[in-house]
Amino acid sequence: MSRLIRWGGVCAAAVLVASILVAGPGTRTGQAAVHDAAPVAAVDARPNDGSGYWPDFSNTGYANTPADAGGLGLGAYPGQLTDYAAGMSPDKPLRVEFPDNSVIAFTRFTALKTIIYGDNLTFVGCLFEGTNPNDNLVQIYSDTNVKFLYSTFKPSSYELPPGNDGTVSSSPTEPGTPFEDSWQLVTTMKEAVAVMDHNDIWGNAGMIMVTGFPDRPSTWTNNYIHDMADTAHDVYHHDGIGPQSEGDGGNMIVHHNTLASLGNTNALALQGPGVYRNVTITDNYVSGWGYALHVGDLDNAENITVTGNVFSAELHQLYGFLYGNLWGGSARGSTWRGNLIQARPGDGNTSFSTADHGKYLWPSGTTSTTDYTG
């Protein structure tokens, strides 16, 4: 039995949760597969182009929560959020504690740092905002699982990312959110594995969460991760998912996300020397960053699947799409297939031209009219 909690006197009711659906390839959590029916191919679509193919402002975050998100039986976003507590401030930390197995819906948390206690918690249609440069906006003390569905993580100083007018995936110009108005991380402080679905995340520098375990994979589906903070300076390392800097991690699903920003490090930041294994990176839109993918510092990864992704030249990129050409290789059970380049006139990544559009991207960073088969 789980508890639905809406704070501030709206309601507190018990609901039975049979399961929370995790989107796999070709599926969506709590929402029809809009992009599957859209009359546009993946390689021709961009976030915020009106197609709804990729995660963007139109289909992520609290305001776009549909009815029955996550299969929880909740209604759609009611048009307003309820404050967790009166007197919340981006200048003060906020400690929140929920009974295990609680579902917290349509709640606004504003704090210097929101510190969460309780296990197997599910946040649906919530807003987490604040200003905490070089520290955690959300700090999670859970033992096994935590889920964020259709929630928004953003600076409290802005309603929209500076430089993003809603027609691009992410601002093509620096600096993004200024350092003093930014937040740095969401972090799991114990061994809770996160399910992240349909969230809108921006104005920060990374998401440090446990990579997963054989029986509990970390799951990132349908998220819009964009517009990193302070990109004009070297204060932050800019990571989308991560950083995970030790290695010896894995069991991770990264499926159908938009990972787009200017930045100096990685969209997927698995940056340690230990072995990464059992990671699937499928059907994502990736643009910008230093490198798009970083799968270990050594050539020792195992069972890494990189398939069906669109690597877009939309945003300026510092280095390349794959750090060190490291991805595991077929000899260790890894697969690289069906990854395409998207390139249009005027794109920020001038390493590719319109002649590369629709071609296959090989792990070496070269393009080809035929798919990689190594």
Side-chain angles (χ1 to χ4, degrees):
M1 183 70 67
S2 295
R3 300 178 62 209
L4 165 63
I5 302 174
R6 295 188 193 172
W7 297 97
V10 176
C11 74
V15 296
L16 178 64
V17 180
S19 64
I20 291 181
L21 302 179
V22 175
T27 67
R28 300 290 177 265
T29 299
Q31 178 175 321
V34 174
H35 91 279
D36 292 335
V40 61
V43 74
D44 295 321
R46 284 191 171 173
N48 294 316
D49 67 357
S51 70
Y53 190 105
W54 297 111
D56 59 20
F57 286 129
S58 73
N59 50 33
T60 65
Y62 69 87
N64 292 301
T65 308
D68 199 31
L72 294 168
L74 304 175
Y77 171 59
Q80 63 181 9
L81 299 174
T82 300
D83 283 353
Y84 171 78
M88 294 185 301
S89 167
D91 300 319
K92 299 186 296 185
L94 178 69
R95 175 187 169 115
V96 300
E97 187 165 353
F98 301 102
D100 292 353
N101 307 310
S102 292
V103 177
I104 302 95
F106 306 123
T107 302
R108 173 176 172 261
F109 301 86
T110 299
L112 181 71
K113 176 188 297 187
T114 298
I115 306 166
I116 299 173
Y117 291 87
D119 196 26
N120 197 31
L121 304 177
T122 301
F123 295 87
V124 182
C126 292
L127 169 62
F128 297 87
E129 61 178 356
T131 299
N132 201 358
N134 261 350
D135 207 339
N136 297 321
L137 175 69
V138 181
Q139 197 162 291
I140 305 158
Y141 290 87
S142 296
D143 291 317
T144 54
N145 300 292
V146 63
K147 302 177 180 69
F148 295 94
L149 313 179
Y150 286 95
S151 293
T152 300
F153 302 80
K154 70 178 217 33
S156 57
S157 303
Y158 298 90
E159 289 304 312
L160 293 171
N164 187 340
D165 63 0
T167 64
V168 294
S169 66
S170 186
S171 174
T173 58
E174 296 177 334
T177 303
F179 176 74
E180 62 272 14
D181 294 326
S182 70
W183 57 279
Q184 187 177 20
L185 302 165
V186 171
T187 303
T188 49
M189 306 300 291
K190 301 176 77 173
E191 289 195 347
V193 170
V195 170
M196 304 290 292
D197 183 71
H198 282 98
N199 299 299
D200 181 10
I201 302 166
W202 60 274
N204 64 315
M207 303 286 286
I208 301 181
M209 292 176 155
V210 174
T211 53
F213 301 97
D215 61 336
R216 289 183 290 136
S218 171
T219 305
W220 299 74
T221 54
N222 311 304
N223 299 290
Y224 182 27
I225 300 176
H226 59 110
D227 289 287
M228 295 292 105
D230 191 41
T231 55
H233 304 91
D234 293 327
V235 178
Y236 284 146
H237 284 183
H238 305 105
D239 297 310
I241 300 173
Q244 204 280 359
S245 301
E246 293 78 33
D248 299 316
N251 298 97
M252 190 174 191
I253 297 166
V254 182
H255 175 73
H256 196 253
N257 301 278
T258 293
L259 305 170
S261 182
L262 300 181
N264 54 27
T265 43
N266 318 120
L268 176 62
L270 306 180
Q271 300 167 333
V275 178
Y276 293 98
R277 53 174 60 86
N278 304 327
V279 179
T280 64
I281 307 159
T282 58
D283 190 25
N284 299 284
Y285 179 95
V286 189
S287 188
W289 312 94
Y291 289 98
L293 305 181
H294 187 147
V295 187
D297 288 344
L298 303 176
D299 190 15
N300 58 6
E302 300 174 352
N303 298 320
I304 308 298
T305 299
V306 186
T307 59
N309 300 284
V310 170
F311 291 93
S312 176
E314 177 187 4
L315 299 172
H316 175 67
Q317 185 177 63
L318 292 181
Y319 310 119
F321 283 114
L322 179 64
Y323 174 83
N325 299 335
L326 303 176
W327 58 283
S330 58
R332 287 191 296 280
S334 297
T335 301
W336 184 286
R337 294 284 189 279
N339 300 297
L340 300 177
I341 284 288
Q342 182 193 82
R344 297 179 181 174
D347 279 351
N349 185 351
T350 57
S351 296
F352 298 91
S353 71
T354 55
D356 294 301
H357 180 78
K359 288 185 177 180
Y360 294 98
L361 178 69
W362 286 25
S364 62
T366 58
T367 62
S368 174
T369 56
T370 60
D371 202 358
Y372 180 77
T373 59

